[in-house]
């Protein structure tokens, strides 16, 4: 059974059709990288999977069950899915350590000491153990994003969603975040990653999904996709971004 | 808050600096002239005579009277402040509720209290409620009137504070599996309080000044005590007594502001130090926007939605 299944998913913002007839299934342990031009609906797709956006058509299954619409069940489902945002979204008034322990203590009901020990371990794993007592605004963008990854991992998720995790970063900080994501992929974490980083897609993805105009036009292993893209749109897109 | 003052324009160049210097000198001369003129006029009318001003030394009863007046002012103000903040938070939460049945009454209450003069609310509490069979002392009538008006205003300040928090904060909390009530308590509320604190303090200063409206229902607050003293001692004592009362108000309100600044600093220190507004080594990428200021909420009656 796939971990996540999207069947005929469609969504519009007013007259603007952002997703049409999207089918996708992701197996446990798989890394799927979603690429495509701006406005192709990749972020919306990512945000639909933990219901930060609602869908108008089709259905999304998580572990075989339709996404809960509200309440305790929705919160429980979200607690099993980690999310990393483009703009980090660390809680601005809490220290890095508190950011990481908030979910485990308030959602999972862990003891403070246990949550803290685990948080420090995760912060060390993403390379910012020394920043535990800082506030988010005192960290660089790359450090903030790594803290955000640690925050998501502290919930022991079965799936991680990355919504353009490096798009808001200065160029020199992109690789430090991608390295963390690569090592996470290597541990067997199931990941859906929306990104513009083709190098990451090539090296870390099991499959690459190419989106344009709200549809998935192609989905294939990276070697096949980058070696011989089938659709005109994908060839165009790759030609444009690989030129420089 | 400290350091360079907030200015609206570019830093001035050499010509601008010369112009600013010249206009500053002219302004100083004019102000000094006006003050001298006022003092001369007062002196010629005998208003600056030592005997008039030594009344505070000669009359211990006057000191006691003003001191008790100040205590009554503070008692009413502090009680109303606590109640108004509680009411404000409750109204703001009700107004942001998902349920219309909760939202609509809250909107009605806020708009009603906000659009009536405080004085009218105080009079209603003192004269109107007894007609409904609920008799209040002058103290509670004043507190109730101030609470109703300021609670409504504070709820709007608070709502603006919540609205100014980046959506991403709420989304990140929801993505962790936090429930809406937890998101409010753990993420939105603490951040809103910090952002709205300057506006909130200025509203509380307004509240403290508005306690002087207690005079219409014979509540013995500071200003009324002063007026009583002037009536008793004679109107030539009006200037000294009212001047001293003004100074007391100024000092009290500045102490209130200083207390707020001190609390803010304590909180900053507890949160790992550093200047609150300054990001370190380029931490502000496109995503991490600096805190959007809560829209300014003017003096009494000067709030907007």
């Amino acid at each position: 059974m796939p971990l996540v299944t999207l069947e005929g998913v469609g969504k519009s913002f007013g007259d603007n059709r952002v997703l049409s007839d999207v089918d996708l299934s992701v197996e446990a342990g798989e890394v799927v990288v979603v690429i495509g031009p701006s406005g192709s609906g990749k972020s919306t797709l990512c945000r639909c999977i933990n219901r930060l956006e609602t869908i108008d058509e089709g259905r999304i299954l998580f572990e075989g069950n339709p996404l809960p619409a509200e309440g305790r069940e929705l919160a429980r489902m979200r607690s099993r899915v980690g999310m990393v945002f483009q703009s980090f979204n660390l809680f601005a008034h809490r220290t890095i350590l508190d950011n990481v322990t908030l979910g485990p203590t308030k959602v999972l009901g862990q003891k403070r000491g246990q949550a803290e020990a685990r948080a420090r371990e995760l912060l060390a794993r993403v390379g910012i153990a020394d920043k535990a007592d800082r506030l988010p605004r005192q960290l660089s963008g790359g450090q903030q994003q790594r803290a955000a990854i640690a925050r998501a991992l502290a919930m022991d998720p079965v799936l991680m969603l990355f919504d353009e995790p490096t798009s808001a970063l200065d160029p020199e900080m992109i690789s430090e975040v991608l390295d963390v994501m690569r090592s996470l992929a290597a541990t067997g974490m199931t990941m859906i990653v929306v990104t513009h980083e083709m190098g990451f897609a090539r090296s870390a993805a099991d499959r690459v999904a190419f989106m344009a105009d709200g549809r998935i036009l192609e989905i294939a292993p990276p070697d096949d996709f980058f070696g011989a893209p089938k659709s005109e749109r994908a060839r165009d897109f790759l030609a444009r971004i690989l030129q420089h | 808050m400290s350091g360079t003052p907030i200015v609206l324009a570019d830093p001035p160049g050499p010509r601008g600096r010369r112009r600013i210097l010249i206009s500053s000198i002219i302004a100083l001369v004019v102000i000094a002239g006006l003050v001298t003129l006022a003092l001369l006029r007062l002196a010629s009318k005998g208003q600056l005579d030592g005997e008039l001003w030594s009344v505070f030394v000669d009359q211990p009863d006057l000191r006691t009277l003003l001191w008790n007046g100040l205590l009554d002012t503070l008692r009413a103000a502090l009680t109303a402040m606590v109640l108004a903040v509680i009411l404000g938070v409750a109204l703001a939460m009700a107004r942001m509720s998902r349920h219309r049945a909760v939202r609509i009454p809250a909107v009605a209450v806020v708009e009603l209290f906000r659009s009536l003069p405080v004085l009218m609310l105080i009079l209603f509490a003192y004269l109107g409620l007894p007609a409904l069979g609920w008799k209040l002392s002058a103290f509670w009538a004043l507190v109730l009137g101030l609470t109703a008006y300021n609670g409504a205003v504070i709820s709007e300040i608070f709502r603006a504070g919540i609205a100014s928090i980046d959506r991403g904060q709420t989304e990140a909390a929801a993505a962790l599996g936090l429930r809406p009530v937890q998101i409010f308590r753990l993420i939105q509320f603490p951040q809103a309080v910090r952002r709205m604190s300057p506006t909130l303090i200025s509203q509380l200063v307004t509240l403290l000044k508005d306690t002087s409206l207690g005079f219409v229902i014979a509540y013995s607050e500071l200003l009324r005590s002063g007026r009583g003293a002037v009536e008793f001692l004679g109107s030539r004592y009006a200037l000294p007594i009212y001047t001293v009362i003004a100074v007391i108000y100024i000092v009290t309100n500045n102490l209130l502001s200083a207390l707020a600044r001190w609390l803010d600093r304590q909180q900053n220190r507890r949160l790992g130090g550093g200047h609150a507004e300054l990001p370190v080594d380029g931490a502000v990428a496109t995503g991490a926007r600096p805190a959007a200021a809560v829209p300014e909420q003017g003096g009494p009656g000067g709030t907007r939605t």
Side-chain angles (χ1 to χ4, degrees):
Chain A
M1 179 185 71
L3 186 62
V4 181
T5 312
L6 284 76
E7 293 171 355
V9 169
K11 178 176 180 65
S12 307
F13 288 118
D15 290 339
N16 187 13
R17 190 140 180 84
V18 285
L19 292 177
S20 345
D21 201 23
V22 172
D23 291 314
L24 175 68
S25 67
V26 179
E27 300 291 332
E30 209 181 5
V31 176
V32 174
V33 172
V34 184
I35 62 172
S38 305
S40 56
K42 345 183 260 303
S43 271
T44 309
L45 177 74
C46 186
R47 293 163 55 83
C48 285
I49 294 171
N50 67 352
R51 212 177 178 281
L52 284 182
E53 303 281 357
T54 54
I55 57 174
D56 302 331
E57 300 146 30
R59 59 179 195 156
I60 300 178
L61 305 177
F62 177 70
E63 296 179 319
N65 303 311
L67 289 192
E70 60 198 336
R72 198 179 302 278
E73 297 73 31
L74 176 63
R76 223 186 83 76
M77 176 261 155
R78 281 174 172 163
S79 73
R80 297 168 49 76
V81 177
M83 177 131 189
V84 175
F85 298 85
Q86 178 176 348
S87 45
F88 330 134
N89 295 347
L90 291 172
F91 305 128
H93 61 306
R94 287 176 171 261
T95 63
I96 297 300
L97 188 70
D98 280 351
N99 264 275
V100 181
T101 56
L102 187 75
T105 52
K106 302 294 177 184
V107 178
L108 304 179
Q110 288 179 12
K111 289 268 181 301
R112 178 90 204 156
Q114 179 197 356
E116 249 178 49
R118 170 95 169 113
R120 289 190 189 278
E121 187 187 306
L122 285 166
L123 289 175
R125 187 164 138 200
V126 300
I128 48 170
D130 55 327
K131 306 292 182 198
D133 300 318
R134 298 296 190 85
L135 286 174
R137 61 171 165 265
Q138 296 170 313
L139 270 59
S140 73
Q143 292 166 339
Q144 288 192 55
Q145 194 60 298
R146 286 184 280 154
I149 293 173
R151 173 175 71 179
L153 290 178
M155 300 294 288
D156 286 322
V158 295
L159 167 69
M160 285 285 287
L161 304 173
F162 291 85
D163 182 8
E164 303 205 24
T166 57
S167 299
L169 294 176
D170 291 336
E172 76 272 20
M173 293 167 184
I174 290 176
S175 65
E176 66 190 47
V177 171
L178 291 181
D179 287 345
V180 168
M181 290 167 59
R182 257 190 215 101
S183 67
L184 185 61
T187 64
M189 174 64 73
T190 315
M191 294 164 57
I192 298 176
V193 182
V194 174
T195 187
H196 293 287
E197 296 298 325
M198 296 304 137
F200 178 81
R202 262 181 209 280
S203 63
D206 295 310
R207 285 188 296 159
V208 174
F210 174 74
M211 282 187 80
D213 302 330
R215 295 171 188 277
I216 295 183
L217 297 187
E218 272 187 64
I219 181 157
D223 289 344
D224 298 354
F225 176 77
F226 289 108
K230 293 192 186 63
S231 63
E232 186 67 26
R233 293 292 303 266
R235 277 195 295 275
D236 260 15
F237 176 73
L238 289 176
R240 223 169 304 153
I241 57 164
L242 297 178
Q243 253 164 20
H244 48 250
Chain B
M1 295 286 131
S2 58
T4 37
I6 299 161
V7 287
L8 289 175
D10 287 338
R15 201 147 34 103
R17 274 201 296 273
R18 203 164 53 238
R19 213 176 294 152
I20 289 168
L21 183 67
I22 293 169
S23 49
S24 301
I25 290 171
I26 294 173
L28 263 176
V29 169
V30 170
I31 291 168
L34 286 174
V35 170
T36 317
L37 196 69
L39 287 174
L40 283 175
R41 294 277 299 178
L42 286 173
S44 72
K45 300 263 181 201
Q47 287 286 354
L48 297 183
D49 293 357
E51 179 263 337
L52 278 185
W53 291 81
S54 61
V55 64
F56 297 101
V57 185
D58 305 337
Q59 301 269 357
D61 288 352
L62 176 59
R63 288 205 302 273
T64 318
L65 183 75
L66 291 185
W67 174 247
N68 287 336
L70 175 62
L71 289 185
D72 280 345
T73 286
L74 291 178
R75 232 182 31 214
L78 291 177
T79 314
M81 281 176 193
V82 171
L83 294 178
V85 168
I86 293 172
L87 178 67
V89 171
L91 282 173
M93 284 178 68
R95 200 168 173 175
M96 290 183 295
S97 165
R98 275 184 296 186
H99 308 289
R100 281 183 86 152
V102 179
R103 216 162 52 222
I104 290 169
V107 173
V109 168
V110 168
E111 294 305 326
L112 174 71
F113 286 165
R114 221 160 52 114
S115 37
L116 290 172
V118 201
L119 189 55
M120 209 181 143
L121 288 167
I122 294 168
L123 283 174
F124 177 77
Y126 194 61
L127 304 171
L129 287 182
L132 301 175
W134 198 23
K135 181 95 180 78
L136 290 175
S137 66
F139 173 81
W140 283 109
L142 175 61
V143 166
L144 207 66
L146 289 173
T147 300
Y149 175 76
N150 289 284
V153 173
I154 288 169
S155 87
E156 287 297 284
I157 295 174
F158 191 70
R159 211 161 61 96
I162 296 276
S164 75
I165 296 170
D166 194 301
R167 242 183 94 78
Q169 297 282 309
T170 324
E171 286 185 350
L176 281 178
L178 289 165
R179 308 293 308 278
V181 177
Q182 289 177 306
I183 296 176
F184 180 80
R185 188 165 58 83
L186 298 167
I187 307 299
Q188 294 178 305
F189 183 78
Q191 295 195 48
V193 166
R194 300 216 55 193
R195 283 197 193 173
M196 68 180 190
S197 68
T199 324
L200 180 63
I201 294 305
S202 78
Q203 188 59 40
L204 293 182
V205 166
T206 304
L207 187 159
L208 193 141
K209 291 189 292 186
D210 283 351
T211 52
S212 60
L213 294 172
F215 88 95
V216 294
I217 53 171
Y219 180 67
S220 57
E221 43 74 44
L222 179 59
L223 188 57
R224 185 184 163 83
S225 305
R227 213 173 91 133
V230 171
E231 274 164 12
F232 179 73
L233 294 169
S235 62
R236 46 199 204 98
Y237 289 101
L239 186 72
I241 287 176
Y242 286 134
T243 305
V244 165
I245 287 175
V247 169
I248 293 175
Y249 274 119
I250 291 168
V251 169
T252 313
N253 282 327
N254 277 290
L255 282 178
L256 185 61
S257 304
L259 176 70
R261 278 196 301 274
W262 182 78
L263 282 175
D264 197 48
R265 267 204 311 279
Q266 292 302 306
Q267 206 176 8
N268 258 347
R269 196 163 305 154
R270 194 171 55 77
L271 282 175
H275 194 284
E277 322 304 333
L278 283 182
V280 178
D281 48 53
V284 175
T286 38
R289 290 173 214 100
V294 177
E296 197 61 52
Q297 321 263 341
T303 43
R304 23 163 300 225
T305 322

